[in-house]
Amino acid sequence: MENLDLTDLELLKQLQKNSNITTKELAATVNLSPTPVYERVRKLEKEGYIKSYSAILDAEKMGLELIVFCDITLKQHTKDIGNQFVKDICAVDEVTECYNISGDYDFRLKVLVRDMKHYQDFVINTLGAVNNIGSAHSTFVIGTIKQSYGVPF
């Protein structure tokens, strides 16, 4: 972050709020003309501060009403087994997030499914097809209190 000035930080804040903001609107928020703002944003993209742009969909409206955190323990811990698990799990559409964690479990998955029957099918047929899973522990979300996609700074 040492390469970022206050204008860069403000641009990032504004883009996190609304990635569809026009360069002209963005320029007005930082009191610059559109050309330098456009160049700054391209530089932030090139340097990796901005990874990508996407639309945030409403999972419930898309029919995915159940959120499950599934903690996974692997049977064995080798480089090849770990890498294969990551490759396999990244290919699963229902898994929207995957973290390698410390503690009693090896990985935490965030899973979006339609309902409990869909989750049962996911556990049996999808997770069941992934090699070297020793155990899976599921926690079902009752309600979402806060959900943020931004990075605090």
Side-chain angles (χ1 to χ4, degrees):
M1 267 190 48
E2 64 242 11
N3 297 334
L4 303 179
D5 62 17
L6 292 175
T7 301
D8 291 330
L9 293 172
E10 186 59 30
L11 291 171
L12 291 171
K13 282 182 186 177
Q14 294 301 319
L15 286 167
Q16 273 195 144
K17 288 181 192 174
N18 177 9
S19 67
N20 279 337
I21 191 170
T22 66
T23 302
K24 184 177 178 181
E25 293 168 327
L26 198 53
T29 67
V30 295
N31 297 315
L32 289 174
S33 64
T35 300
V37 167
Y38 176 83
E39 290 169 359
R40 280 176 177 258
V41 170
R42 292 300 161 253
K43 181 181 173 206
L44 292 166
E45 292 169 349
K46 184 179 177 184
E47 292 178 354
Y49 289 99
I50 299 171
K51 292 172 74 170
S52 69
Y53 297 94
S54 66
I56 299 170
L57 305 182
D58 185 315
E60 285 186 34
K61 286 187 178 186
M62 300 300 293
L64 302 170
E65 297 187 12
L66 184 60
I67 302 168
V68 185
F69 289 99
C70 181
D71 295 327
I72 302 290
T73 303
L74 298 180
K75 289 180 190 174
Q76 297 174 316
H77 296 86
T78 68
K79 179 180 176 183
D80 290 340
I81 289 171
N83 287 338
Q84 187 61 51
F85 173 82
V86 168
K87 181 181 175 187
D88 291 345
I89 220 65
C90 285
V92 177
D93 290 337
E94 290 93 345
V95 176
T96 61
E97 298 175 42
C98 176
Y99 302 95
N100 185 207
I101 59 174
S102 66
D104 294 335
Y105 303 101
D106 299 314
F107 295 91
R108 175 162 293 157
L109 312 178
K110 181 178 178 185
V111 181
L112 293 179
V113 289
R114 291 183 306 278
D115 51 28
M116 191 62 75
K117 185 175 173 101
H118 185 183
Y119 187 66
Q120 180 184 26
D121 179 72
F122 168 81
V123 170
I124 293 169
N125 295 310
T126 305
L127 286 185
V130 177
N131 287 327
N132 287 301
I133 292 180
S135 68
H137 178 267
S138 302
T139 303
F140 301 95
V141 174
I142 296 170
T144 301
I145 309 305
K146 180 181 179 184
Q147 185 175 35
S148 175
Y149 299 98
V151 175
F153 58 93

